[in-house]
Amino acid sequence: LEAGSDIICANTFGVSEPSDKDRYALISAAFACANGARERYFQKYGACDKYIAYDMGPTGKIVGRRGNLSFDEAYEIYAECAKTAEKLGFDLVFIETMNDLRETKAALLAVKENCDLPVIVTNAYGADGKLMTGDNAIPLYYSEKSKRISANPNEVKEYGCFKSAEKYDDEFEEYDAGYNDKHDKSDSQESDNK
């Protein structure tokens, strides 16, 4: 905060991993730590616009028919985290370092459908502009009506990632009609759009 950050992420990146751990206790402790730092900053410099983000990381599993975690299981994990984040007083959710389109979708839908917090999503792209699973993330952002599509500036410059989203307009229609049916999130609706 003293270095100029307006948003700090709580230490919750690993909470999404499937396990029997007490997620509520872990998220509570992480928020208390981050909020304590913010309160100390306010005491020293006065209250101002400084925000705490719930840092939502990947589960560490491959989601969907080709993986070892179902879409619904991933969704429920992220929904639990989103509800807890809002209850505890986080200002926003930062979904980060996703490399699987199905998991990105599970996290994004879980946040949007289970809390009212603003959400930011980042993915990890390869040199070809696609995720580790070979998927292209642009149709997901189109279908979820995201206001921004972004990638690492160096990737855009060096590899041309997302230079023109318009070429995905046709792909979006097919994607939205099947894989992204928000009213049936089950694996049976998944396709292999890439």
Side-chain angles (χ1 to χ4, degrees):
L1 294 172
E2 290 184 332
S5 295
D6 293 323
I7 300 174
I8 56 174
C9 288
N11 187 19
T12 51
F13 181 83
V15 174
S16 303
E17 296 176 1
S19 73
D20 295 328
K21 58 191 170 188
D22 186 343
R23 289 194 181 89
Y24 190 89
L26 292 171
I27 297 170
S28 296
F31 180 78
C33 182
N35 193 48
R38 180 170 61 177
E39 289 299 323
R40 289 191 296 275
Y41 179 89
F42 287 166
Q43 290 173 8
K44 187 173 181 180
Y45 299 102
C48 57
D49 293 333
K50 299 292 182 180
Y51 305 98
I52 299 175
Y54 177 86
D55 192 349
M56 184 174 281
T59 60
K61 306 290 185 181
I62 300 298
V63 175
R65 291 170 295 176
R66 297 174 290 180
N68 49 9
L69 187 69
S70 75
F71 184 92
D72 289 338
E73 288 172 328
Y75 178 93
E76 289 305 320
I77 290 172
Y78 289 124
E80 177 188 350
C81 294
K83 292 174 185 176
T84 302
E86 184 171 48
K87 181 177 181 179
L88 291 173
F90 281 86
D91 299 303
L92 68 152
V93 176
F94 180 49
I95 301 171
E96 67 152 315
T97 321
M98 293 291 182
N99 50 36
D100 178 355
L101 185 59
R102 289 164 181 80
E103 185 166 23
T104 304
K105 176 191 171 187
L108 181 57
L109 287 179
V111 172
K112 291 178 68 175
E113 295 177 354
N114 290 279
C115 75
D116 293 320
L117 297 177
V119 58
I120 298 171
V121 183
T122 69
N123 291 99
Y125 302 99
D128 59 357
K130 294 185 177 182
L131 304 177
M132 180 185 72
T133 51
D135 293 316
N136 187 318
I138 287 180
L140 174 62
Y141 295 113
Y142 262 102
S143 60
E144 291 306 315
K145 299 177 176 60
S146 296
K147 295 180 179 178
R148 297 288 184 273
I149 299 173
S150 62
N152 183 297
N154 291 330
E155 290 178 341
V156 173
K157 180 178 179 181
E158 186 171 354
Y159 305 117
C161 302
F162 305 148
K163 278 187 175 179
S164 177
E166 287 77 8
K167 67 180 181 178
Y168 297 102
D169 285 342
D170 293 336
E171 182 179 353
F172 160 66
E173 292 182 7
E174 175 184 353
Y175 179 90
D176 192 48
Y179 174 77
N180 194 52
D181 186 345
K182 291 176 66 174
H183 301 292
D184 185 352
K185 299 181 289 294
S186 67
D187 292 341
S188 64
Q189 291 294 319
E190 293 180 1
S191 70
D192 293 320
N193 288 332
K194 293 188 169 96

